[in-house]
Structure formats: C-alpha cells, structure tokens
C-alpha cells in the first residue's frame, strides 16, 4: 500500500553546471546538423575540463544532390568548434581558466557506423533498451513537484543573471528541494538547498541567500516556504570557481535531473546529443507524452509507462502501464489504448511528435519534461491532445 504522508527530495543543476555545459554543446551540434538535413544522424558526446572542450561521436548525413554524405560532412565540420564557443558564451563563462574565447575545442566527430545506419534506414530502432514515461496530477504540469520547482528556481536565477539583475552570480549552480506530502499531495518545503557560484569573493553565504531569496519565493507556490523551511545556501561557504574549471563535465551524466528527479524509473539512456532515431530519446519522449495524456484524460492520477525496443526492429517489444492504484479503468485497458492512439515505431514517434527539427538545445537544462509546448514544435511531447481519444478507446 502506497504512503500518503512522507518527504521526497529532488535536485536540479543549472545550465552552467559542467555536465550541462556538455549537454548543451552536444544538443547544439544536433540542432545544427538537423538544420542542414532533417535526416541527419547524430550521437555526439562532449567532455569539458579546465580550458578544454573535446567533442566526439558519430554523425551522418544522407547523400543529396549528387554529393555523398561523407562529402557533405566535410563541409559542416569546421562549424563545430564555433558552435561550442557560442554555447559557452551564452551560458556566461568568461573565467580565466574557462572562457568561451580562449578555451581549446577539439573535434573528433566521425561518420556513423554502417551497421547502425542500416538498421535505422530500415525504420528499426537504433538500439535496444527500455524507456519510461511518467505523469502525476500533483502540479498543473503533471510533474512531480520536487523536480519541477528545483528546476524553476535555477531557471529564474539564470534569467535574472542574464538580464543583469544578479551580475555578482556566476553560471554554475545546484538546487535541491525536500517537499513534505500530506494525504498524497505536496504541501510545504522542509529543506531548501541552493549552491550558487558567485564572482565577488567578499560575498558570504548569507549575502548570497539575501540575493537569491526573492527569486526563489517568486517561483514557489504560496505557503510552501514558511517558518519551518530550513534554507541551506552555499553551505560550505565560498563558491568562486565554477563550471568545467572546478569539476570536469560530460554529456549524459544528469539523467535523473533530466527526467523526474527520482520519482519514477529511468531506463538508463541519456538524451542529449542523440538524434530522434535513437529511441533512448524519442521513445522516452513518447512515453512521457502518453503517460501525461493518460492523466490529463482522467484515467489515472498517476501513471508510469514503459516501452522496450530491439535494434533494427521497428515495433516495440512491450508496453507496460502502472497507475499505482489510481486508475479509473484497468491498467491493461490503458496499455491497449495507448497502442491504438499512437504509432510507437521509431518512425511513427518522429512523425507524430514532429521530432526531425532543430529543437533540442533548449532541452539541455532545466528538464526535458514539464515544459510548455512551443509554437515551433519544441516540447511537442508535452501536449495533451490525445486525452479525448484515449478516453474513447478504454
């Protein structure tokens, strides 16, 4: 039997966190190649440390207009280091040992494996694996509250920093919220942690707390921060050296931050730097989309949905739904319905969610889920346009 009264904790990291710098660069490379060709194949990994960014992985462009994909790739390779610098500049790094204009950028991207390419060309999945989607009715975005508001805090602070309202803060930051649930609903923050890089060495932890507190209070629901909330702001004291100069970064190391903050399972695959033929990414988006529509349809208050794939095989091997005892219809009926309302082959997912677009760099920080759908197709997996059809199918 599930608990109704408990405390649950999730964390987020800012766009200036070393791993997120790498996610941003990898997704910028993906967007660039999708701009060149919607059928681009990308598996881009980035590593960053003091004064150095290393980009590697596999990419591919199809033959076009009498030119081979290999020749087309030669034309785009020179742009990759410039893209990395643009990402670092936008994030805000101008530190002595990690500066957008002076860091070394090494590009080791190469053509995609022929074996993988053949499997994808046959409309099969680019790899085997399991992917999870999740939704819960405790927030308007149908996301778990701890991760949703941990993201919101850092996103608001980044906006204020870039607007010039908090010029004394640097790009690197982390947040963590412990939220108390009563009768299954989030009601208050018991512990709030923010570690934020600052550029002024004379700032104390109390000074940083005073700077960020109005922005934190702005994004939190009324009453959740109260006299019982313990604040831990820069609890070790100074936080002057941030980003890859303070700690090396790598693409794909923040998968729980990227998804549900530990409130739901994760299949194991990272998202950033992968084109939508990779089911690690596209099927995880589809699973979130379906789970969110199940909850939006009123078929459950909480829904976990799993899909699985084999490399080179188009049809999902399995679909599993668990509504955790909150469903208004049997879980098996929802499983049948989701398979009817959406083509869950890799090509079907890409078409339904219109994923062959350069919409990915914006996902690299502050979560891939719980964001508003955008007019250019960004975050299309957050729509709830299947709710009525699902209700009709169960």
């Amino acid at each position: 039997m599930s608990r109704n009264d408990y405390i649950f904790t999730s964390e987020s990291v800012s766009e200036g966190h070393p791993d997120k710098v790498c996610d941003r660069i990898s997704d910028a490379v993906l967007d660039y190649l999708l701009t060149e060709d919607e059928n681009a194949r990308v598996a881009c990994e980035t590593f960053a440390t003091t004064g150095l960014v290393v980009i590697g992985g596999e990419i591919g462009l199809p033959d076009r207009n009498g030119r081979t994909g290999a020749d087309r790739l030669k034309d785009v390779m020179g742009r990759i280091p410039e893209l990395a610098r643009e990402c670092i500049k936008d994030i805000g790094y101008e530190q002595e040992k990690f500066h957008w204009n002076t860091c070394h950028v090494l590009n080791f991207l190469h053509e995609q494996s022929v074996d993988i390419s053949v499997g994808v060309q046959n409309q099969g999945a680019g790899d085997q694996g399991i992917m999870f989607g999740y939704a819960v009715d405790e927030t308007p975005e149908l996301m778990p509250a701890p991760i949703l508001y941990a993201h919101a805090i850092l996103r608001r602070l980044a906006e204020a920093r870039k607007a010039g309202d908090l010029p004394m803060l640097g790009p690197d930051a982390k947040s963590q919220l412990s939220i108390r649930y009563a009768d299954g609903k989030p009601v208050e923050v018991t512990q709030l942690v923010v570690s934020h890089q600052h550029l002024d060495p004379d700032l104390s932890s109390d000074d940083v707390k005073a700077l960020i507190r109005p922005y934190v209070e702005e994004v939190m629901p009324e009453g959740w921060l109260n006299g019982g909330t313990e604040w831990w702001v820069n609890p070790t004291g100074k936080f002057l050296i941030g980003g890859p100069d303070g700690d090396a970064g790598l693409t794909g190391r923040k998968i729980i931050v990227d998804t549900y903050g530990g409130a739901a399972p994760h299949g194991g695959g990272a998202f950033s730097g992968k084109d939508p033929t990779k089911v690690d990414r596209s099927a995880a988006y589809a699973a979130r989309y379906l789970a969110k529509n199940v909850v939006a349809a009123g078929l459950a208050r909480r829904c976990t949905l799993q899909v699985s794939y084999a490399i080179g095989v188009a049809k999902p091997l399995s679909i599993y739904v668990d509504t955790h005892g909150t469903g208004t219809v049997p879980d098996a009926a929802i499983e049948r319905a989701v398979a009817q309302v959406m083509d869950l082959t890799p090509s079907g997912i890409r078409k339904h969610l219109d994923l062959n677009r350069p919409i990915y760099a914006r996902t690299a920080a502050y979560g891939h889920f719980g964001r508003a759908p955008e007019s250019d197709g960004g975050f299309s997996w957050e729509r709830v346009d299947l709710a009525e059809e699902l209700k009709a199918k169960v």
Side-chain angles (χ1 to χ4, degrees):
M1 187 173 180
S2 62
R3 295 175 62 189
N4 288 321
D5 301 289
Y6 56 92
I7 296 172
F8 192 83
T9 302
S10 294
E11 69 158 347
S12 178
V13 299
S14 74
E15 63 194 81
H17 184 281
D19 295 331
K20 284 293 154 195
V21 172
C22 295
D23 284 346
R24 171 72 174 274
I25 293 170
S26 293
D27 273 337
V29 171
L30 169 60
D31 280 355
Y32 170 53
L33 286 165
L34 287 174
T35 301
E36 291 293 311
D37 196 304
E38 67 174 15
N39 293 310
R41 299 292 177 255
V42 182
C44 177
E45 309 288 347
T46 303
F47 166 75
T49 187
T50 302
L52 177 66
V53 172
V54 181
I55 305 170
E58 301 78 44
I59 58 176
L61 291 173
D63 297 346
R64 282 276 191 275
N65 301 322
R67 303 188 68 223
T68 67
D71 283 338
R72 296 181 69 204
L73 282 178
K74 291 176 185 177
D75 294 341
V76 305
M77 282 295 192
R79 175 83 171 104
I80 303 300
E82 184 182 354
L83 279 174
R85 295 187 190 283
E86 289 172 0
C87 291
I88 297 166
K89 183 179 182 180
D90 182 66
I91 291 168
Y93 277 113
E94 295 186 343
Q95 294 176 188
E96 179 183 356
K97 295 184 178 180
F98 195 75
H99 192 295
W100 64 269
N101 196 37
T102 59
C103 70
H104 299 284
V105 181
L106 304 179
N107 176 18
F108 295 106
L109 289 166
H110 59 85
E111 278 194 270
Q112 183 187 49
S113 160
V114 173
D115 294 336
I116 295 176
S117 180
V118 168
V120 174
Q121 287 170 3
N122 292 333
Q123 304 302 314
D127 201 353
Q128 70 177 48
I130 58 174
M131 299 85 208
F132 286 93
Y134 182 73
V136 62
D137 69 354
E138 64 191 54
T139 62
E141 295 83 359
L142 304 186
M143 283 287 288
I147 187 65
L148 183 74
Y149 292 109
H151 287 321
I153 288 169
L154 294 184
R155 188 165 58 245
R156 183 67 188 95
L157 289 171
E159 290 169 354
R161 174 177 59 84
K162 290 183 172 183
D165 299 328
L166 294 172
M168 66 294 294
L169 297 185
D172 199 354
K174 301 178 79 171
S175 65
Q176 185 170 289
L177 290 179
S178 299
I179 293 182
R180 184 173 70 85
Y181 285 71
D183 196 24
K185 293 292 185 181
V187 294
E188 67 173 348
V189 178
T190 60
Q191 306 283 335
L192 185 150
V193 183
V194 176
S195 294
H196 210 301
Q197 182 188 11
H198 54 99
L199 307 179
D200 183 348
D202 294 328
L203 289 179
S204 67
S205 296
D206 287 340
D207 293 332
V208 175
K209 178 181 177 180
L211 288 169
I212 70 169
R213 183 164 189 149
Y215 299 95
V216 174
E217 292 175 338
E218 178 186 327
V219 301
M220 294 301 299
E222 186 176 356
W224 285 25
L225 298 174
N226 52 48
T229 304
E230 291 193 75
W231 290 64
W232 304 94
V233 178
N234 288 8
T236 62
K238 304 296 183 186
F239 185 1
L240 296 170
I241 301 173
D245 184 30
D247 189 10
L250 193 66
T251 298
R253 283 203 299 201
K254 288 292 177 284
I255 58 176
I256 301 304
V257 169
D258 285 343
T259 54
Y260 308 102
H266 191 292
F271 300 155
S272 289
K274 296 178 181 177
D275 75 74
T277 68
K278 278 73 171 174
V279 284
D280 277 348
R281 184 169 215 160
S282 56
Y285 289 174
R288 160 63 179 172
Y289 174 59
L290 290 169
K292 185 175 183 180
N293 275 271
V294 166
V295 175
L299 300 177
R301 291 183 48 237
R302 180 180 169 207
C303 179
T304 299
L305 188 148
Q306 183 206 61
V307 289
S308 67
Y309 293 86
I311 188 168
V313 179
K315 184 179 178 180
L317 305 186
S318 64
I319 302 171
Y320 167 78
V321 167
D322 183 359
T323 59
H324 309 277
T326 70
T328 60
V329 299
D331 291 353
I334 298 175
E335 289 171 355
R336 291 190 294 269
V338 297
Q340 293 171 5
V341 300
M342 185 176 182
D343 177 359
L344 286 170
T345 65
S347 61
I349 292 171
R350 296 197 302 277
K351 181 177 179 181
H352 191 110
L353 297 177
D354 205 4
L355 296 180
N356 290 339
R357 296 183 179 206
I359 55 173
Y360 297 103
R362 70 194 74 172
T363 70
Y366 314 121
H368 293 245
F369 308 130
R371 312 277 286 271
E374 298 178 348
S375 59
D376 67 350
F379 301 102
S380 60
W381 49 93
E382 291 297 313
R383 302 188 315 244
V384 290
D385 53 345
L386 288 182
E388 292 304 316
E389 190 174 356
L390 277 169
K391 283 194 285 189
K393 294 290 186 182
V394 295

